Amino acid sequence: MDDRTYTAEATPGETVTVAGWVHEIRDLGGIAFLILRDTTGRIQVKFEKDEMDDELVEMGLGVSRESVVAVTGDVKEEPRAPTDVEVVPESVEVLSRADTELPLDPTGKVDAELSTRLDNRTLDLRREAGQAIFSIRSEVQAAVREAFREADATEINTPKIVATGTEGGTELFPITYFGREAFMNQSPQLFKQLIAGSNLERVFEIGPIFRAEEHNTPRHLNEATSIDFEGAFCDHNDAMDVCESVVVAAYEAVAENCAEELDALGLDEFEVPDTPFPRISYEEAIERINVTGELDEQLVWGDDLPTEGEKALGNDVGGHYFITDWPAEIKPFYIMDHDDDETLSTGFDMMHPRMELVSGGQREHRREELIAGFEAQGLDPEAFEYYTKMFKYGMPPHAGWGLGAERLIMTMLDLDNIREAVLFPRDRQRLSP
Ligand code: AMO
């Protein structure tokens, strides 16, 4: 739109055209206000009924809430207005009329169920808090990209339609690919490794992953966004260093650039996590969980950590931390074991006190061992020939990790449900919008 001025930039003395949604109409009798909202904030438009053209007054005050209007007029200083300025209108154009009945209250004064909000995301995200989450998400993604570039990593994009799965534990979504069975990719794992073995060496991707999770929980999605890193000539410790720096960079950017958004979310005590994140071995982790007495049954070596166990340990540690040296048998085939103890893997998880955010590790780059690992996990190495083949042509030692973007945002902003951090979540019930 030509010559449009954002409400936040309307300066007294200017004649402007502001455009946005009708947030509220306050009729005080002889005088009435239309509060117009755009992406930068709100501005008051003043109608003095007796002194203004009837048609103009009718146009401005007869319009329903959430209609889209463009108002042209002079900007005046007005200390009684919420932003100290107001517009005295010369013309009002209605660009789109809204129904008088709205499925939810976009001012947020009346609460709505999460499902109603997700069904009406356009309206829902007119609330300041909703807008704040996605502004912060955008800031986080920009900061993460910048941190990766500082770590000399190249951004890549890998296929999401694939012939084989890689992550045990969750099911694959099958699709039909020109008459053949194919799947939606669960992780860029194998592709990022293949490219770490090229001359690009250090790579990252921010992209969708698809998981036919059985669980319908506040922290699982069926389509999530994975922030992935893979670096040649890195071991698991180097990978953890990069992981910590990327997560801290995201927090720092939000602390520095998102004060208003944090305020809209009521997060006045936002803190950048302390570094270094403690690195706790799996063995120590299960001991510490057992000592809390929070679980009905004591954990033993080889158990995966149950959700309540993760929470108990999270409370005990009180900040972000890594769990290292997992039993080899519960980590995927592509994770390398320690040289001096084959029962121990180089796999690690990075945890927020509330939940797991990251899995990673050093990878098995020796072809024979890799193929043996496939067989040990009941996978057919033939199906992964496109991958194992490249290990014949000079595959450097390498390591990496995957971080769930929505879990990062959810924990950073203390959201109760992961769906709050996704525009259009996919879960067992939800396929549209
Ligand atoms: P993993 O399967 O642990 O590891 O996934 C890595 C991280 O991705 C996020 N995540 C999810 N978030 C929401 N809903 C889901 N259903 C979901 N599944 C995963 C979590 C999790 O910690 N290839 C390895 C990574 C690697 O080793 O590089 C992998 O995918 O935050």
Side-chain angles (χ1 to χ4, degrees):
M1 203 172 148
D2 285 346
D3 299 331
R4 176 185 172 209
T5 302
Y6 281 127
T7 57
E9 282 156 20
T11 313
E14 289 178 344
T15 302
V16 298
T17 298
V18 286
W21 292 263
V22 177
H23 185 69
E24 203 179 343
I25 292 187
R26 260 185 243 142
D27 199 333
L28 310 178
I31 200 166
F33 300 106
L34 181 160
I35 310 297
L36 182 145
R37 186 188 69 238
D38 69 11
T39 192
T40 65
R42 292 175 207 164
I43 201 160
Q44 165 171 308
V45 182
K46 181 168 76 182
F47 292 86
E48 284 174 302
K49 294 184 193 167
D50 296 339
E51 282 161 42
M52 285 180 174
D53 183 60
D54 286 348
E55 225 174 284
L56 177 69
V57 172
E58 174 51 28
M59 183 68 96
L61 301 180
V63 70
S64 49
R65 275 174 61 207
E66 296 306 315
S67 294
V68 180
V69 297
V71 177
T72 302
D74 292 338
V75 185
K76 306 264 190 224
E77 234 167 272
E78 174 48 76
R80 286 166 297 177
T83 57
D84 290 335
V85 292
E86 66 182 12
V87 176
V88 179
E90 281 158 23
S91 72
V92 174
E93 189 187 350
V94 179
L95 302 173
S96 171
R97 246 173 234 287
D99 271 4
T100 47
E101 282 202 21
L102 301 173
L104 54 81
D105 173 17
T107 66
K109 283 182 199 151
V110 183
D111 279 344
E113 296 278 332
L114 182 59
S115 64
T116 309
R117 292 178 37 218
L118 295 175
D119 286 342
N120 300 280
R121 246 341 194 175
T122 310
L123 272 178
D124 178 46
L125 296 182
R126 292 182 192 166
R127 286 179 310 116
E128 267 178 54
Q131 191 181 326
I133 293 172
F134 291 95
S135 299
I136 290 176
R137 187 174 162 143
S138 170
E139 182 69 33
V140 164
Q141 287 187 194
V144 162
R145 284 199 161 86
E146 190 52 40
F148 276 129
R149 291 167 70 92
E150 273 174 32
D152 294 325
T154 303
E155 182 160 12
I156 58 168
N157 303 96
T158 62
K160 304 306 159 206
I161 301 176
V162 294
T164 52
T166 51
E167 309 302 318
T170 61
E171 295 298 318
L172 286 156
F173 283 116
I175 58 164
T176 305
Y177 190 72
F178 301 114
R180 282 160 59 190
E181 185 177 54
F183 304 98
M184 302 303 293
N185 205 6
Q186 296 169 306
S187 160
Q189 182 64 39
L190 306 189
F191 298 106
K192 66 177 179 173
Q193 283 188 259
L194 290 176
I195 303 307
S198 79
N199 243 50
L200 289 176
E201 290 198 16
R202 285 178 160 225
V203 294
F204 75 97
E205 177 165 11
I206 304 178
I209 56 169
F210 303 91
R211 306 216 170 177
E213 299 277 0
E214 290 301 323
H215 332 282
N216 208 4
T217 78
R219 60 196 183 129
H220 285 94
L221 294 163
N222 295 108
E223 177 176 354
T225 308
S226 186
I227 300 171
D228 276 271
F229 170 76
E230 202 66 27
F233 306 101
C234 286
D235 66 13
H236 55 296
N237 287 311
D238 301 323
M240 283 189 269
D241 291 345
V242 176
C243 177
E244 187 175 299
S245 67
V246 165
V247 168
V248 168
Y251 271 83
E252 281 174 349
V254 171
E256 206 172 308
N257 303 323
C258 301
E260 271 179 35
E261 288 82 358
L262 292 170
D263 191 44
L265 292 164
L267 297 172
D268 351 315
E269 288 179 20
F270 185 80
E271 276 176 23
V272 177
D274 287 336
T275 54
F277 299 172
R279 298 183 184 184
I280 297 169
S281 70
Y282 165 87
E283 191 172 6
E284 183 185 338
I286 57 172
E287 273 166 22
R288 283 173 71 166
I289 293 170
N290 286 339
V291 168
T292 65
E294 291 288 328
L295 301 189
D296 294 339
E297 272 183 46
Q298 296 273 294
L299 293 173
V300 293
W301 173 264
D303 286 344
D304 216 338
L305 304 189
T307 310
E308 314 83 70
E310 284 177 3
K311 281 194 184 137
L313 185 57
N315 286 338
D316 190 19
V317 179
H320 290 78
Y321 64 102
F322 288 98
I323 305 178
T324 63
D325 305 307
W326 286 76
E329 67 200 55
I330 53 172
K331 283 289 173 190
F333 62 87
Y334 49 76
I335 300 280
M336 194 183 235
D337 299 334
H338 280 289
D339 283 342
D340 51 355
D341 184 351
E342 276 194 357
T343 64
L344 269 190
S345 83
T346 64
F348 61 82
D349 284 359
M350 197 275 278
M351 313 291 294
H352 177 275
R354 287 175 67 194
M355 70 189 77
E356 175 201 308
L357 300 183
V358 173
S359 292
Q362 183 164 348
R363 318 307 188 181
E364 183 52 79
H365 66 281
R366 298 161 302 181
R367 188 161 176 271
E368 305 287 289
E369 280 80 352
L370 183 65
I371 290 175
F374 273 108
E375 283 160 357
Q377 265 187 32
L379 293 164
D380 174 14
E382 294 279 303
F384 294 87
E385 225 257 322
Y386 67 93
Y387 165 74
T388 52
K389 192 168 82 179
M390 290 303 143
F391 289 68
K392 288 200 279 191
Y393 309 129
M395 182 58 76
H398 58 283
W401 44 263
L403 158 66
E406 290 81 14
R407 288 197 184 177
L408 175 64
I409 301 294
M410 176 187 183
T411 50
M412 176 185 273
L413 304 182
D414 202 20
L415 306 173
D416 290 336
N417 195 310
I418 196 165
R419 291 160 186 76
E420 298 270 5
V422 192
L423 290 173
F424 300 106
R426 292 288 170 260
D427 62 29
R428 293 200 66 154
Q429 277 80 39
R430 192 165 280 282
L431 190 54
S432 67

